Amino acid sequence: MSQAVTGVKSVELAPMGLNGAMPTTGWVKIVDIEDDSVSFTVPPLETLKFRVEEKGGVRFVLPGETEGATFAFKSLDLAGAKAKLLLGGDWDDVEQEYNYPANPDVLYLAVRLTSNAFQGKAFQLSIPAAAGTAGVANNFTKKGFIALSYSGEATTPADALGEAVSPWGYKFIDVPAIP
């Protein structure tokens, strides 16, 4: 049976786990995800082509540089704790006030996306170490909302021995039928 993926059920972020593994705790669920704002792009491996003098065409093709997979979304939820997670800075729960950092930085988080169920299965994307930046998007209009925007690139984490481990992966998980 083919495996198809449709829609977004949830996006979750957490502090990175140890030794290149996905974290088991600390997940923050992103809610109010703007329609059509979630993307995941895996650029193809660049190749190096070699030609030789005495033969026409390409003689050898070797792997070249790789670019990290990218992940992005926008959320209409501007809750201060989520703004702090995505943007850095400070959030005051009592005053309900957020302050952007004077010296913003790239923030490293684990990312987990779960799709809507299709034929009893859901797609679950895992990025153990995404180097991300965030901002505020959209216009202040009568018919719209501003949103937190996030864009991250999968980096290659290392295990306890310093060996590179997979920068991203996915699995299909069973979703119980609703009676």
Side-chain angles (χ1 to χ4, degrees), residues 142-158:
K142 291 186 224 177
K143 297 179 183 179
F145 292 92
I146 63 168
L148 286 173
S149 64
Y150 174 86
S151 179
E153 182 171 342
T155 62
T156 305

Side-chain angles (χ1 to χ4, degrees), residues 32-149:
D32 294 332
I33 299 166
E34 189 173 297
D35 276 347
D36 300 323
S37 73
V38 179
S39 67
F40 176 62
T41 305
V42 180
L45 174 68
E46 291 180 16
T47 59
L48 303 171
K49 297 176 183 177
F50 293 89
R51 301 173 194 283
V52 295
E53 292 290 331
E54 65 276 6
K55 295 180 181 168
V58 175
R59 180 74 171 126
F60 298 105
V61 177
L62 297 176
E65 292 294 318
T66 59
E67 295 295 326
T70 59
F71 178 79
F73 66 84
K74 290 196 286 188
S75 169
L76 303 181
D77 180 11
L78 298 178
K82 291 179 184 171
K84 180 179 178 177
L85 176 70
L86 295 173
L87 296 162
D90 298 309
W91 171 249
D92 183 323
D93 251 349
V94 174
E95 297 295 324
Q96 294 288 293
E97 182 178 357
Y98 171 77
N99 288 298
Y100 188 73
N103 297 303
D105 204 355
V106 173
L107 301 176
Y108 286 82
L109 296 168
V111 177
R112 180 169 63 195
L113 173 137
T114 304
S115 75
N116 290 327
F118 183 74
Q119 297 180 341
K121 299 278 187 182
F123 169 91
Q124 192 169 69
L125 170 69
S126 299
I127 303 173
T133 59
V136 177
N138 299 345
N139 297 318
F140 286 89
T141 66
K142 291 186 224 177
K143 297 179 183 179
F145 292 92
I146 63 168
L148 286 173
S149 64

